[in-house]
Amino acid sequence: MDPATSVVDPYCKSHDVDNLWIVDSSPFPSSAEVNPALTVASLALRVAESGQLTA
């Protein structure tokens, strides 16, 4: 993903702040007509299982 047009990469890691993952609905480009809870939960699982998290 292009940092000029997105806040996070495909694994929800911030382009601007090192070691920051944004795993909620704030990076979504718009709100949907349905509750995004399942989508947010699946994104959190995807990030956790990806091995991208570092301390």
Side-chain angles (χ1 to χ4, degrees):
M1 300 217 128
D2 182 12
T5 60
S6 64
V7 177
V8 295
D9 70 8
Y11 288 99
C12 300
K13 186 175 182 198
S14 170
H15 291 298
D16 295 330
V17 180
D18 193 34
N19 211 23
L20 172 68
W21 281 262
I22 304 172
V23 186
D24 64 3
S25 62
S26 60
F28 292 1
S30 64
S31 61
E33 294 181 15
V34 296
N35 187 333
L38 290 176
T39 303
V40 171
S42 67
L43 282 174
L45 289 171
R46 178 176 184 236
V47 170
E49 293 176 347
S50 71
Q52 297 288 318
L53 298 175
T54 58

